[in-house]
Amino acid sequence: MPKIRKVLVANRGEIAIRVMRTCKELGIATVAVYSEADRSALHVRTADQAIFVGPPPSRESYLVQQRILDAAKQAGADAIHPGYGFLSENAAFVRACEAEGLTFIGPPASAMDSMGEKTRARANMIKAGVPVVPGTTEPIPSVEEARAYVEKIGFPVMLKAAGGGGGKGMRKVERMEDFESSWRAAKSEALNAFGNDAVYIEKYLEKPHHVEIQVFADQYGNTIHLNERECSAQRRHQKVVEETPSPILTPELRAKMGEVAVKAAKAVNYVGAGTVEFLVDVHRNFYFLEMNTRLQVEHPVTEWVTGLDLVAMQIRAAEGEKLGLTEAPTPRGHSIEVRVYAEDPSRNFMPSPGKITYLRVPGGPNVRDDSGVFPGYTVPNVYDPMISKLSVWAPTRREAIARTQRALSEYVVKGITTNIRYLKAILAHPEFIEGDYDTSFLTRQHDALLGVEDPKLSEMALLASVVHTYQKDQKRAKTLPAASGGQGGGNGGVSPWKQALRTRR
Ligand code: MV4
């Protein structure tokens, strides 16, 4: 198989830049694609060459397969790296690349087919001996049959869309009275999100942890795992903080989950970088949830503790090189990643696009900032508002938390609102520091993490400011000639504490 000499990166933002960085180190030329909204984006400036692919909406640019293929041919690229999202898990696109003689840097289309549809993936995993969450392996054809099944397994249950994962078309149901309306809601949401209204049923797991295993395979069936990532800090099925090792895994559980993840990957003849997601329940039983057939956002934490470059490994695997490793490297130290978003936590995390007028990026020992922005850049409102992933390494978890806090305190973004304060609050929260936070953590601690004012503290602050103002006025009254109206400094004789209350309320 020939070496890859020129890669078209079919993505934007930080991940496009991440992929190009490794390409450069390997002496591989890079081609960016960009939409109308990304003319001045950093990934365009980072690439050796850039090709326009259409209007701002990704449906009309980054997702148009033929435009991406045409761009690759026009540039003379021999391979396409899809990043994450967009076309990265689209089996039809993989086949189209192959038909055009382009190397797709990722798994084969057949592996995507085996894992893309959730009920099929569950059936495949059961056949391979991988534990899945108890439930059905077929979509349920009617609400009557669904009810009958739930009578058998008991409440609570989770209705899930067969067409895709990520929490869309998902409904928890606790009582038969709610079943029919939840069933309808799940079906219509599933149809909306995936164009497929098929829904299946799982037993509901209480307060599970989300732990995922990174796997890697070459084209010759050599498959290993690269340990886990703890991803339980999520809100609305968006990961916010990821870390490795997971504070809840023992070496035994890690080995067991790693072995099962390798079994899952082998069962679908996986090639390249993939992730097997598990839910871990309170008894530390683990169940297959889904497999992500792509390089994931949070891959840097795995790179930190293994010392590997996952993008370089993807490229070598695509070139047909044999995997150098025969087993999981023992993870070294601890790594944490936080996702920096252009969003306003105090306004229900509404995206906050706009111009970055000032930017200071953290640095120093063992700090990595995977960013897609620069000072003067305008964050567009048509794409995901994640502007950077900040990741750190330290010998221990405690030190990694301290280092993340230190790095976050160096981060200054002006002109737009970010979630940086929210991230600091998560890392300072006793439940996070304790290390046993489950997937309900961010929802349960919503108010505490937003720094919703403690009424007692704000009353104290008010009192302090009143006393301060009063003392200042007293001092001025002694040193300066009296202002008109006498005491109170020209405020019509209104006492300072009343003034303070007026301005506050
Ligand atoms: C579950 C579950 C409890 N029981 N399935 C959410 C996203 C999707 N990937 C699967 N999800 C869940 N599936 C059963 N049978 C709880 C969740 C869940 C969750 C999972 C991972 C991370 C965050 C979460 C937040 C709420 C619910």
Side-chain angles (χ1 to χ4, degrees):
M1 236 176 170
K3 289 269 178 204
I4 292 168
R5 288 163 326 177
K6 196 172 198 177
V7 169
L8 178 134
V9 183
N11 217 301
R12 62 178 304 283
E14 67 85 17
I15 192 61
I17 294 161
R18 159 73 192 92
V19 171
M20 290 175 196
R21 280 177 165 150
T22 287
C23 289
K24 266 179 205 177
E25 291 174 10
L26 297 177
I28 296 171
T30 56
V31 185
V33 288
Y34 64 95
S35 74
E36 187 65 49
D38 277 338
R39 281 193 183 284
S40 57
L42 193 56
H43 77 279
V44 173
R45 302 182 184 193
T46 305
D48 296 316
Q49 185 182 351
I51 295 177
F52 178 74
V53 290
S58 47
R59 291 240 152 266
E60 300 168 40
S61 50
Y62 295 108
L63 286 170
V64 182
Q65 299 185 24
Q66 200 54 53
R67 291 213 177 197
I68 303 297
L69 295 168
D70 289 345
K73 279 184 286 181
Q74 185 192 325
D78 37 34
I80 295 185
H81 194 299
Y84 51 71
F86 293 154
L87 296 167
S88 62
E89 297 186 272
N90 189 317
F93 182 64
V94 178
R95 295 195 168 97
C97 286
E98 283 161 7
E100 301 279 0
L102 292 158
T103 301
F104 179 83
I105 302 173
S110 60
M112 289 182 185
D113 287 338
S114 304
M115 289 296 191
E117 212 249 337
K118 299 308 153 199
T119 40
R120 188 187 305 159
R122 281 165 61 80
N124 287 334
M125 291 303 100
I126 291 168
K127 217 168 79 191
V130 172
V132 304
V133 184
T136 69
T137 50
E138 298 283 344
I140 315 276
S142 70
V143 67
E144 289 76 27
E145 282 161 88
R147 272 215 207 86
Y149 184 77
V150 173
E151 301 264 14
K152 230 170 52 192
I153 67 165
F155 285 104
V157 295
M158 196 74 125
L159 305 178
K160 290 189 178 182
K168 279 186 200 126
M170 198 174 80
R171 278 283 184 298
K172 176 186 182 184
V173 198
E174 298 178 83
R175 313 170 302 170
M176 203 47 99
E177 292 92 288
D178 305 333
F179 192 79
E180 189 150 350
S181 67
S182 299
W183 173 260
R184 288 184 201 292
K187 273 184 113 54
S188 94
E189 211 178 301
L191 183 65
N192 238 318
F194 311 112
N196 170 4
D197 76 346
V199 166
Y200 70 101
I201 300 176
E202 285 182 2
K203 184 80 191 154
Y204 182 86
L205 301 181
E206 301 288 348
K207 303 193 168 194
H209 280 252
H210 173 132
V211 179
E212 58 187 32
I213 305 280
Q214 177 73 55
V215 294
F216 201 91
D218 66 17
Q219 295 182 12
Y220 314 100
N222 302 304
T223 309
I224 59 166
H225 74 87
L226 300 172
N227 307 307
E228 81 282 6
R229 292 184 287 260
E230 169 68 62
C231 303
S232 293
Q234 305 189 11
R235 54 171 295 288
R236 298 211 194 123
H237 310 303
Q238 278 272 22
K239 291 166 189 164
V240 182
V241 180
E242 302 100 345
E243 62 177 314
T244 188
S246 164
I248 64 151
L249 289 205
T250 58
E252 294 72 37
L253 190 51
R254 173 173 303 114
K256 227 159 76 184
M257 290 178 74
E259 200 180 301
V260 168
V262 167
K263 196 150 70 169
K266 282 189 167 172
V268 299
N269 299 312
Y270 202 80
V271 179
T275 297
V276 184
E277 293 188 350
F278 294 99
L279 288 183
V280 182
D281 73 11
V282 284
H283 311 294
R284 301 296 184 252
N285 297 311
F286 64 91
Y287 306 95
F288 171 86
L289 196 55
E290 54 190 73
M291 181 169 188
N292 299 315
T293 53
R294 58 164 191 273
L295 181 73
Q296 285 193 273
V297 174
E298 59 272 29
H299 74 276
V301 295
T302 298
E303 296 188 321
W304 270 122
V305 301
T306 59
L308 299 168
D309 178 336
L310 286 173
V311 173
M313 288 172 72
Q314 286 186 298
I315 292 171
R316 288 191 207 105
E319 287 176 332
E321 234 180 76
K322 259 180 76 175
L323 187 60
L325 299 158
T326 54
E327 60 172 32
T330 306
R332 187 177 151 267
H334 201 97
S335 178
I336 298 175
E337 174 183 277
V338 295
R339 300 190 188 188
V340 180
Y341 283 95
E343 67 182 14
D344 188 348
S346 72
R347 288 190 187 172
N348 199 22
F349 297 88
M350 216 206 300
S352 163
K355 186 168 175 172
I356 296 175
T357 54
Y358 177 88
L359 182 67
R360 184 191 176 215
V361 165
N366 295 311
V367 170
R368 166 175 171 182
D369 182 55
D370 282 278
S371 160
V373 304
F374 55 89
Y377 174 69
T378 299
V379 180
N381 61 9
V382 284
Y383 307 114
D384 185 280
M386 188 178 78
I387 57 171
S388 149
K389 302 176 324 203
L390 175 64
S391 62
V392 312
W393 181 90
T396 65
R397 185 169 189 269
R398 203 174 48 80
E399 291 163 293
I401 293 173
R403 180 160 282 158
T404 308
Q405 289 284 30
R406 186 272 290 171
L408 280 170
S409 73
E410 289 176 9
Y411 226 130
V412 184
V413 187
K414 286 187 180 159
I416 60 170
T417 308
T418 73
N419 66 338
I420 288 173
R421 258 184 20 165
Y422 176 70
L423 295 172
K424 288 180 187 165
I426 294 173
L427 272 91
H429 196 285
E431 206 170 316
F432 183 85
I433 293 168
E434 184 62 34
D436 197 356
Y437 56 99
D438 61 60
T439 48
S440 68
F441 168 50
L442 293 189
T443 310
R444 267 187 299 104
Q445 298 298 340
H446 181 266
D447 287 359
L449 295 169
L450 282 189
V452 168
E453 274 177 272
D454 179 335
K456 268 209 187 102
L457 281 182
S458 32
E459 213 57 40
M460 289 243 290
L462 175 61
L463 220 67
S465 82
V466 168
V467 170
H468 179 74
T469 309
Y470 182 74
Q471 285 174 338
K472 232 169 55 185
D473 283 357
Q474 288 294 86
K475 218 159 103 190
R476 197 164 49 190
K478 277 181 201 148
T479 53
L480 293 175
S484 65
Q487 199 174 12
N491 289 302
V494 178
S495 67
W497 67 269
K498 273 191 182 155
Q499 277 174 47
L501 284 171
R502 268 189 201 159
T503 50
R504 297 269 308 188
R505 302 256 154 109

